[in-house]
Structure formats: structure tokens, C-alpha cells
Amino acid sequence: QAYIDDNPLCDIELRTPLAMRSDWGGAHGQPLVLVQVTDLHVNDIDGGQAKTKFRMFLETVLPPMAPYVDAVVVTGDLVSSKRFTAHMHQLVGHYSQQILSEWKWYNSTVSETIKQLKIRKWITVPGNHDVFGSSSRRFYREYGMHPPLALNETYSRSHITTIRGHMLFGLDAALNPSPHRPMNFFGMVTPEMEDDLLNNLREHRAR
């Protein structure tokens, strides 16, 4: 989990000329501008550290860039979905759970930011923490996607987002069914997902 203020890799120097470079794109026109963040791990058990760091990003790093950004992409682990326990036997895998308060905080905070900064697109893909013990991806669909996806709508684990002629490919490679910790620390791209992605690509190209 990268913390903005104490990780040298996140020492972002914000300069207006950087966002307004007249030579961006060259002869090909304005480039596609994406802001990618990952592993937010929003939770209720760390004394507010993760929430504070995420708010710092939303309130200090993102605003100067927002007018030039085509999409913000969050690549997994929006929430933490785990509880501390004193019972050692629970470490084998059933002390993780999807926690509604974490999802609601993430959703309300992001929705407010999208509205205030007029973010064009906010794209997410789930990580393993976002689906611990939740094969339906219920909370992710309702609180992690913008706009949300109703349970009666079809959820595709592979999808394409088109922005100004560019296609962004997203794959939900988290296990399905999704086990609890510690049996859910790897993902898998199935042949069915590959076929689905190729079919989506063909459909988009045919339009």
C-alpha cells in the first residue's frame, strides 16, 4: 500500500505546465490521460490511516490534474475486508468478510469527488480483497462501480471501456467462487474470460 507522503515513489511534483504542455500528442492530437491508483485498502481497523491517505490523494494530488484527465482507473483492492481476531484457529481463512461500512465510505467519498472535480470516467476492477468470500461481487457491483450495476444486470468479468477512440481492457481475474483468507491470494484468467474479451473486442470493432 503506497502512502503518498512517505513513499519516495509517490513524490509527485505538481506543476501546471506539466498538465498544459502544448506539445502533448504532437501530430496525433491530444493524448489519452489516465490516472491510475491501486490497493487503497479502505478499512475501519487502522485508525483511519488508509482513509486519510486516500483523501489526501483526492484533495491534493488529483484536483490540479482533473481538468485534463480522461479517466481515473482504480486497479483492485478498493477495500480491506478483514477483521483482526485473537483466535488463532481463525487464521486458516474465515476471519475475512465483506464489510458494508468500508464499501459505503469508499462509494460516498468517490461519488463526492467525481461530482466536485467533474471526473469524466471512474473505472475500477476488483482485487482479491474486494471479493473475499463473495462470489456474487454484490458490494463491488453496488458500491465499487460508477455507475453501480444492479444485481439483475449482467456482470461481465471482462469488459471494454472506450474513451475517445481508445479501448481500455478490464479483466476481473479474482477467483470465482471467491474463498476467504488466506486461500485467495492469486487470480486466474479462464479460457471463457479470454473468449468473452475477444468477442467484446470484435463487437466494438464492428461498430
Side-chain angles (χ1 to χ4, degrees):
Q1 185 170 345
Y3 288 157
I4 293 171
D5 62 349
D6 56 13
N7 187 335
L9 297 179
C10 295
D11 185 14
I12 302 171
E13 182 180 357
L14 297 177
R15 296 177 296 169
T16 301
L18 179 65
M20 301 179 65
R21 287 281 298 273
S22 60
D23 59 341
W24 265 21
H28 302 289
Q30 189 70 12
L32 187 70
V33 181
L34 304 176
V35 172
Q36 185 234 349
V37 291
T38 190
D39 292 83
L40 307 176
H41 289 254
V42 167
N43 68 82
D44 299 327
I45 59 177
D46 70 351
Q49 292 185 55
K51 292 178 180 179
T52 298
K53 302 300 182 179
F54 186 39
R55 275 202 175 278
M56 183 186 303
F57 166 77
L58 296 177
E59 295 173 358
T60 63
V61 177
L62 187 57
M65 298 186 288
Y68 314 99
V69 171
D70 291 291
V72 176
V73 183
V74 187
T75 51
D77 289 352
L78 288 60
V79 296
S80 182
S81 302
K82 61 182 180 180
R83 294 292 195 194
F84 288 136
T85 175
H87 303 291
M88 292 302 295
H89 71 277
Q90 291 187 330
L91 295 178
V92 297
H94 57 273
Y95 77 116
S96 59
Q97 66 183 84
Q98 295 299 308
I99 302 168
L100 182 58
S101 60
E102 294 180 354
W103 282 106
K104 284 189 172 182
W105 187 93
Y106 169 84
N107 180 268
S108 63
T109 302
V110 169
S111 297
E112 178 183 356
T113 298
I114 291 173
K115 182 178 180 179
Q116 289 184 349
L117 300 183
K118 297 180 173 59
I119 302 297
R120 296 181 179 92
K121 285 185 181 291
W122 190 283
I123 304 168
T124 62
V125 291
N128 62 316
H129 284 252
D130 304 320
V131 299
F132 279 153
S134 175
S135 297
S136 68
R137 275 104 166 117
R138 176 186 173 186
F139 287 169
Y140 169 73
R141 292 164 56 129
E142 186 172 353
Y143 299 103
M145 301 179 71
H146 301 272
L149 186 69
L151 286 178
N152 61 351
E153 296 183 76
T154 300
Y155 173 75
S156 175
R157 296 183 65 192
S158 62
H159 59 273
I160 298 175
T161 300
T162 303
I163 305 175
R164 293 197 290 108
H166 300 272
M167 288 186 290
L168 303 182
F169 298 81
L171 284 175
D172 173 2
L175 295 180
N176 190 36
S178 300
H180 284 277
R181 287 174 54 91
M183 308 303 295
N184 192 359
F185 288 109
F186 55 92
M188 179 182 299
V189 177
T190 66
E192 291 77 14
M193 292 171 63
E194 293 177 354
D195 291 342
D196 191 27
L197 186 62
L198 289 174
N199 289 334
N200 285 336
L201 179 59
R202 294 189 187 100
E203 291 177 5
H204 276 72
R205 284 179 171 175
R207 292 175 183 174

